[in-house]
Amino acid sequence: ICNIVLNIVLFLPFGYLAPILFPEKLDRYWKMLCIGFAFTLLIELLQLISHRGCFDLDDLMHNTIGAMMGCYLYKRIISSNWQKHRRNA
């Protein structure tokens, strides 16, 4: 269970920061899903090729979930801040 939580927590910042860096590219959840999955797959393949660690499908799934959760948090925070700003204007 510790490994699951760690994989999710480690990819929360990726999911949160990616839409900040590329807002026009990552405007939909499915795009973040694809980017999170592709980045995790790249990491897992590099581990497989370099023999540093092992290719693990669970890591692929949990890292992608972490990226999606980070993206969700970003969208919720930005959305709530935008609505507050709109009410105050």
Side-chain angles (χ1 to χ4, degrees):
I1 223 117
C2 181
N3 192 28
I4 295 170
V5 173
L6 185 62
N7 281 332
I8 291 172
V9 169
L10 285 174
F11 266 75
L12 280 171
F14 176 79
Y16 190 88
L17 293 174
I20 293 172
L21 297 173
F22 307 103
E24 66 284 342
K25 303 271 190 219
L26 297 173
D27 57 345
R28 304 274 185 219
Y29 285 113
W30 68 268
K31 292 179 181 180
M32 188 65 227
L33 177 73
C34 292
I35 295 297
F37 181 81
F39 186 62
T40 302
L41 183 61
L42 175 68
I43 292 170
E44 292 297 321
L45 287 173
L46 286 172
Q47 286 181 351
L48 182 67
I49 292 167
S50 68
H51 302 288
R52 301 274 185 185
C54 61
F55 185 93
D56 194 357
L57 289 176
D58 290 343
D59 287 353
L60 192 64
M61 181 178 65
H62 297 132
N63 292 350
T64 304
I65 290 169
M68 291 301 298
M69 288 173 66
C71 183
Y72 176 78
L73 289 173
Y74 167 76
K75 297 231 183 235
R76 293 293 292 181
I77 290 170
I78 293 301
S79 175
S80 67
N81 285 341
W82 182 79
Q83 288 176 357
K84 286 178 190 174
H85 176 69
R86 190 170 169 203
R87 275 188 238 135
N88 292 335

